[in-house]
Amino acid sequence: MLQRLSPEAVYSLCPRLPKHLIALGKVEAGSVINQTIIHLVHLRVSQINHCCYCQHMHSQEARDDGERQARLDVLPAWREAPCFSAEERAALAWAEALTLISQAMVSDDDYQNAVTAFGEQGLMELTSVILEINSWNRIAVSFQFTPEIN
């Protein structure tokens, strides 16, 4: 297999990438988009995008912040799992819709559920977080970043 650029090389060749993506993923203090939602969105989008590197990192971050492994185990089946709140469901549906936008238009139901759950400001902050993780995934997948798994 062809050797691709390492994460260090990618980010040193284009230092604005991590700087701007980190800024894109920040939410305002007091935002309705809490850390639990951010973790779930990061992980679910990374699952959809088949990003091993980000799945490994974000599942560990979620556990470190107190997320239960049982919820992470059923995240791909969140629609059937009763352990997710209405807000988490709205965030996950919005994240999936934006991530899979090339396959289907974003539905009015997904939009309405998200704006009802988070308000317009929260919806834009959530959208920014989704844009951020999709971008990180595309970098990690295209350059074949791999996590160190013990």
Side-chain angles (χ1 to χ4, degrees), residues 7-122:
E8 297 79 18
V10 168
Y11 302 135
S12 68
L13 291 168
C14 193
R16 73 180 182 276
L17 264 177
K19 176 184 172 187
H20 292 298
L21 290 179
I22 289 167
L24 187 61
K26 296 247 186 253
V27 297
E28 298 296 323
S31 174
V32 296
I33 307 302
N34 62 42
Q35 199 60 44
T36 298
I37 288 172
I38 292 170
H39 286 312
L40 293 173
V41 164
H42 280 170
L43 187 52
R44 182 66 189 124
V45 170
S46 297
Q47 291 168 341
I48 293 167
N49 289 327
H50 304 280
C51 184
C52 176
Y53 188 84
C54 292
Q55 286 181 62
H56 177 70
M57 175 178 27
H58 294 298
S59 61
Q60 186 60 55
E61 289 175 349
R63 285 190 300 272
D64 289 347
D65 282 348
E67 183 59 75
R68 296 184 318 260
Q69 183 61 47
R71 283 178 20 114
L72 298 179
D73 291 345
V74 297
L75 184 57
W78 64 267
R79 292 179 196 276
E80 295 84 34
C83 58
F84 297 101
S85 71
E87 291 80 14
E88 291 166 343
R89 291 173 182 284
L92 290 166
W94 189 247
E96 287 186 0
L98 270 59
T99 301
L100 299 170
I101 200 164
S102 68
Q103 297 175 17
M105 297 298 295
V106 177
S107 75
D108 287 345
D109 285 344
D110 287 340
Y111 173 82
Q112 189 59 55
N113 289 337
V115 81
T116 298
F118 304 113
E120 291 176 348
Q121 179 67 39

Side-chain angles (χ1 to χ4, degrees), residues 126-137:
L126 177 60
T127 299
S128 183
V129 168
I130 295 164
L131 294 173
E132 173 216 15
I133 191 58
N134 269 290
S135 296
W136 284 119
N137 289 165

